[in-house]
Amino acid sequence: MRAHPAGPRHADVLARVSTAGPRPAGAAELNVLHPAVWPRGAHRGDDGAVRLAGVEVGELAEAYGTPLFVVDEADFRARCAEHAAAFGAPHRVHYAAKAFLCTEVARWVAEQGLSLDVCTGTELALALHAGFPAARIAMHGNNKSADELIAAVTAGVGAVVLDSFLEIARLDDIARRHAVVQPVLIRATVGVEAHTHEFIATAHEDQKFGFSLAAGDAAEAVRRVLKSQGLRLMGLHSHIGSQIFDADGFELAAHRMVGLLASIRDEHGPQVASALAALDLGGGLGIAYTADDDPPRPATLAAHLLAVVEARCRSAGIPIPELVVEPGRAIAGPGTITLYEVGTIKEVTVAASTQRRYISVNGGMSDNVRTALYDATYDCRLVSRWSEAPAALSRVVGKHCESGDVVVRDCWLPDDLAPGDLLAVASTGAYCYSMSSRYNLLPRPAVVAVREGTHRLLLRRETMADLLSLEIS
Ligand SMILES: Cc1ncc(COP(=O)(O)O)c(C=O)c1O
């Protein structure tokens, strides 16, 4: 076992080379699964192995191999129900399919009574394949093709979220040709920069989504839709970013959107304004990736936003629209873990008397690109057994040919970690599988659901045969 240097000098060095925080006081701390970060059904048994919904992780690794996404179904469903209760009715909560979608998940969302937000023709096709009611689907996207719009119109989706002037004309034409009046929302960019990573903040002006409120494009989009014969304006939409902890951005967006509603009333009359029944404030509610994160609870955020919208509408003298939200991460993220097997372990000296341990696992940026892309942080634990060993400063890396292939940049893991141990990374249910790739021809992992002591496959692991099936020669 290595000796761990201690004292203030080492703490300074550590702060420079790591964001993992102070070394855990005792080995026991490393074995604790923080309840805000880990799926609700996760606990460590008396034998030291972690169980999810009563199923031991070793059993899952044995049955399905690793890397493996494990979804706690009860956790996913409970978060659907909590959002539905918070916003007053399940249909007002549109689960954002981009976070993670497969047939089974689409069915869970449908059974919980939620609506669904899709962004591509293929997300729409999968939802319809799962039997998701088309009337509860909203179709998003800044570059929907004519074929995608036709698919949405013919399926009878509840709303298309309009994103450009070109699309207004195109959808109007398609709807009229299909003898349909298509309900639509207009996506406005409200000039709010959410407190989040710059790559995923989307409501500032210089970006590809929506119609600018400040430049008057949103008002012009309203005029064009009202003049059209194939479109019915049913509401307004905005989305200010992702992984947001601070309600101020949502509040400001709500203020500005109600301001737009008031100006629509002034320009087009009260009847038009009262027909705009939906005010969709998008997704973006943050989750706890580590114990340091303290996101607002859906109920708290909902109560706050409902109060803001009500007060603002009352003072503007306009009817109060139905508040709609589109959470993806906050529903799918926390209930899933990724299981990896430890492979090679390497010690690297990173500063005077400070070593970092590189733990290579059998997946990486192909199953979780968020660390490389957004500098995301995660909580990672040894889950196949209990360890009494002291903590070693560690970096969990993948097996790809890329030095940026990092899964967890800085964390403390037991010093006695060995090849064959199982590690789990928490809160990987959103934007991990859905953003996965086949980089280095690594087949995508399987996804398994656990519930009340049972497990079943949602998506099987890709195989070499799957990869070869795309080859022509
Ligand atoms: C329009 C829209 N709605 C909803 C979401 C879901 O966001 P989140 O998963 O952060 O809740 C996104 C994410 O990019 C989005 O672009």
Side-chain angles (χ1 to χ4, degrees):
M1 201 174 292
R2 289 173 307 121
H4 294 286
R9 202 170 146 261
H10 181 249
D12 293 347
V13 174
L14 201 57
R16 266 191 282 118
V17 300
S18 156
T19 54
R23 183 186 305 282
E29 215 180 295
L30 285 184
N31 294 294
V32 173
L33 305 177
H34 194 288
V37 176
W38 287 77
R40 289 169 182 175
H43 80 278
R44 202 180 279 278
D46 294 340
D47 58 358
V50 168
R51 282 145 180 86
L52 215 57
V55 184
E56 203 233 294
V57 289
E59 185 186 337
L60 294 169
E62 187 86 24
Y64 304 104
T66 53
L68 181 68
F69 286 97
V70 188
V71 187
D72 178 348
E73 182 181 339
D75 182 301
F76 187 103
R77 286 181 182 270
R79 289 177 203 273
C80 288
E82 283 157 18
H83 279 82
F87 288 92
H91 72 271
R92 292 181 192 160
V93 179
H94 292 225
Y95 170 64
K98 68 204 84 176
F100 174 60
L101 192 70
C102 65
T103 302
E104 186 81 6
V105 163
R107 290 187 182 140
W108 298 347
V109 175
E111 284 163 13
Q112 296 298 138
L114 269 56
S115 302
L116 189 70
D117 135 12
V118 298
C119 282
T120 59
T122 33
E123 283 182 358
L124 173 63
L126 190 125
L128 296 173
H129 163 80
F132 203 96
R136 296 212 316 260
I137 298 178
M139 176 89 184
H140 290 252
N142 65 302
N143 185 24
K144 306 174 198 79
S145 69
D147 283 349
E148 288 175 319
L149 290 173
I150 290 169
V153 166
T154 53
V157 299
V160 172
V161 183
L162 293 169
D163 205 276
S164 66
F165 291 123
L166 192 147
E167 188 173 79
I168 294 177
R170 184 183 268 174
L171 184 63
D172 181 30
D173 180 51
I174 290 169
R176 282 189 286 122
R177 276 194 283 118
H178 288 83
V180 164
V181 177
Q182 175 62 51
V184 295
L185 301 174
I186 286 173
R187 176 167 178 166
T189 30
V190 291
V192 177
E193 195 152 359
H195 298 168
T196 183
H197 193 288
E198 61 170 326
F199 296 161
I200 47 177
T202 56
H204 50 290
E205 298 290 332
D206 186 8
Q207 47 117 346
K208 69 174 184 171
F209 291 109
F211 295 94
S212 163
L213 194 62
D217 293 347
E220 176 57 20
V222 171
R223 279 177 216 121
R224 292 193 194 186
V225 170
L226 291 177
K227 261 194 225 139
S228 74
Q229 287 166 12
L231 309 178
R232 178 173 67 80
L233 188 58
M234 60 173 286
L236 302 173
H237 175 279
S238 88
H239 172 79
I240 59 167
S242 274
Q243 187 54 3
I244 301 166
F245 281 21
D246 187 344
D248 292 357
F250 287 113
E251 185 175 331
L252 188 54
H255 263 284
R256 292 190 179 165
M257 294 299 278
V258 176
L260 178 60
L261 275 175
S263 67
I264 292 171
R265 188 262 329 265
D266 295 345
E267 182 175 344
H268 303 282
Q271 256 184 331
V272 170
S274 37
L276 303 189
L279 178 58
D280 185 337
L281 291 180
L285 185 59
I287 62 170
Y289 281 103
T290 71
D292 294 335
D293 293 334
D294 186 20
R297 289 156 47 87
T300 313
L301 183 72
H304 184 66
L305 289 182
L306 288 164
V308 167
V309 170
E310 264 186 47
R312 183 84 171 87
C313 286
R314 284 222 170 83
S315 77
I318 48 176
I320 298 160
E322 198 170 68
L323 195 57
V324 172
V325 285
E326 300 167 343
R329 186 190 318 270
I331 288 177
T336 293
I337 62 169
T338 312
L339 268 185
Y340 298 103
E341 185 178 318
V342 173
T344 58
I345 298 176
K346 200 180 274 183
E347 300 282 352
V348 175
T349 303
V350 288
S353 73
T354 300
Q355 293 206 300
R356 193 190 323 273
R357 180 170 271 212
Y358 277 77
I359 316 275
S360 293
V361 294
N362 53 348
M365 64 193 299
S366 55
D367 59 70
N368 188 349
V369 74
R370 293 191 63 258
T371 307
L373 194 58
Y374 305 131
D375 220 4
T377 51
Y378 282 101
D379 191 278
C380 178
R381 303 282 154 159
L382 168 63
V383 287
S384 45
R385 63 183 172 87
W386 178 275
S387 171
E388 301 283 349
L393 179 63
S394 305
R395 178 161 291 172
V396 180
V397 296
K399 61 181 277 129
H400 294 282
C401 274
E402 185 88 26
S403 52
D405 173 27
V406 175
V407 180
V408 185
R409 191 164 302 286
D410 293 309
C411 58
W412 296 102
L413 284 168
D415 201 16
D416 64 351
L417 210 64
D421 278 333
L422 292 178
L423 287 184
V425 178
S427 307
T428 56
Y431 307 107
C432 289
Y433 191 93
S434 66
M435 293 174 88
S436 64
S437 74
R438 286 173 172 172
Y439 181 40
N440 293 137
L441 292 186
L442 267 199
R444 286 187 175 82
V447 182
V448 64
V450 288
R451 180 183 172 169
E452 294 171 355
T454 63
H455 49 92
R456 68 187 192 289
L457 205 51
L458 301 186
L459 293 171
R460 69 161 170 80
R461 182 176 305 282
E462 285 183 349
T463 62
M464 190 61 203
D466 291 322
L467 308 196
L468 288 177
S469 70
L470 300 173
E471 302 279 343
I472 303 304
S473 60

